Amino acid sequence: MANTPHEPQAAPVFSSATRGEIVTIFIGPEKKRYNIHKDIICHHSEYFRTSFNGRWKESDEGVTLEDVEVPVFNVFVHWLYAQEIPSDWESILRLAEASEFVSLQNSSSYGYACVLVLKCVIFGDRFLTPVFHRLAHNTFVNDHFIEKGMEICSSVTYTAVIWAFDNLPTDSPILVMMVDLQGTAWDEWHDNEAEKRRRSRLPHEFLVAVMLKQTKIRSEEEKMACAANGKYCHS
């Protein structure tokens, strides 16, 4: 991932920023138009500071990002003004305007929301928005843990696993977390019929990592059992 830039020390005063200049950003192949207060977006993103300070010719007519997905940018714009990402997936899908998934109360809806947040993690890194990047990362991680005591809560939906192993760097801590959760928190009853159908699409490297993780866990359990019985176990 890109190096994280230094974060600005003082946030803009909204009453002043909203009286200032409006900049235009066009998102996705359909070039959906967004009008955003310049002082706010430039404060939080080094990328957009560079875009709108006159160095780019297109900054006078707006910046176009055809390879950015509209739902991801919707989450980003919500964060720009609210400085939060909801912790529940239904709210995330609603503010992302992912209407086809909002009404679904199943693993497809949850899996899409997980991937959406992971895409926000990448967006924050790519567009040099460290606070948004960190919050999106923490939103994904925290959903899989019980806050009190940080006890393991659940394994990760296969939709997110498949996307993450195809798109995140191989050294990403999120990939490590997915393997750890699958090796420690998963049980067969976790998988409904839709998840069972996705098993054949799971990445080879994920399955091998889970296998090695479970072997390590079993070895450690055997050592603990031997120690409890006063016996010596071969490593």
Side-chain angles (χ1 to χ4, degrees), residues 141-147 150-154 177 181:
V141 171
N142 290 343
D143 181 68
H144 297 87
F145 291 87
I146 300 173
E147 290 187 6
M150 293 298 288
E151 297 177 5
I152 291 176
C153 178
S154 66
M177 185 196 82
L181 288 176

Side-chain angles (χ1 to χ4, degrees), residues 2-167:
N3 293 329
T4 301
H6 293 295
E7 298 171 19
Q9 294 299 312
V13 177
F14 280 174
S15 59
S16 175
T18 54
R19 295 195 302 269
E21 184 179 350
I22 298 291
V23 294
T24 303
I25 302 173
F26 299 95
I27 298 296
E30 66 275 32
K31 297 183 179 179
K32 184 173 181 179
R33 180 180 183 131
Y34 292 81
N35 299 316
I36 298 175
H37 293 94
K38 178 180 177 180
D39 287 349
I40 295 175
I41 194 168
C42 289
H43 167 77
H44 290 290
S45 169
E46 184 176 326
Y47 177 93
F48 289 109
R49 278 200 299 279
T50 302
S51 302
F52 293 116
N53 70 1
R55 296 178 188 173
W56 292 6
K57 291 181 180 180
E58 60 266 33
S59 65
D60 294 334
E61 300 177 358
V63 170
T64 299
L65 302 171
E66 292 190 39
D67 60 341
V68 172
E69 296 179 21
V70 167
V72 174
F73 200 74
N74 287 341
V75 176
F76 172 67
V77 172
H78 171 84
W79 172 82
L80 274 179
Y81 289 94
Q83 288 296 290
E84 59 93 27
I85 297 176
S87 58
D88 65 287
W89 300 110
E90 184 177 349
S91 296
I92 290 175
L93 292 174
R94 185 177 295 109
L95 65 88
E97 299 181 18
S99 57
E100 68 274 30
F101 288 97
V102 171
S103 61
L104 299 177
Q105 299 296 322
N106 55 32
S107 62
S108 294
S109 175
Y110 178 60
Y112 176 84
C114 288
V115 171
L116 176 61
V117 173
L118 290 176
K119 289 179 179 180
C120 288
V121 174
I122 290 180
F123 178 96
D125 183 67
R126 174 184 171 187
F127 293 99
L128 304 178
T129 311
V131 178
F132 180 68
H133 166 82
R134 183 167 60 249
L135 182 58
H137 177 277
N138 291 345
T139 297
F140 181 85
V141 171
N142 290 343
D143 181 68
H144 297 87
F145 291 87
I146 300 173
E147 290 187 6
K148 294 182 179 179
M150 293 298 288
E151 297 177 5
I152 291 176
C153 178
S154 66
S155 55
V156 183
T157 176
Y158 294 154
T159 300
V161 170
I162 293 167
W163 187 90
F165 273 79
D166 282 343
N167 293 275

Side-chain angles (χ1 to χ4, degrees), residues 138-208:
N138 291 345
T139 297
F140 181 85
V141 171
N142 290 343
D143 181 68
H144 297 87
F145 291 87
I146 300 173
E147 290 187 6
K148 294 182 179 179
M150 293 298 288
E151 297 177 5
I152 291 176
C153 178
S154 66
S155 55
V156 183
T157 176
Y158 294 154
T159 300
V161 170
I162 293 167
W163 187 90
F165 273 79
D166 282 343
N167 293 275
L168 296 182
T170 56
D171 60 349
S172 169
I174 286 179
L175 300 186
V176 176
M177 185 196 82
M178 288 179 169
V179 170
D180 287 346
L181 288 176
Q182 190 72 13
T184 57
W186 178 83
D187 204 332
E188 188 174 2
W189 62 268
H190 287 164
D191 291 356
N192 57 23
E193 291 304 315
E195 285 288 81
K196 289 178 181 178
R197 290 193 293 271
R198 296 186 186 104
R199 288 177 181 174
S200 62
R201 296 170 50 208
L202 287 170
H204 174 75
E205 56 269 36
F206 169 74
L207 296 174
V208 170

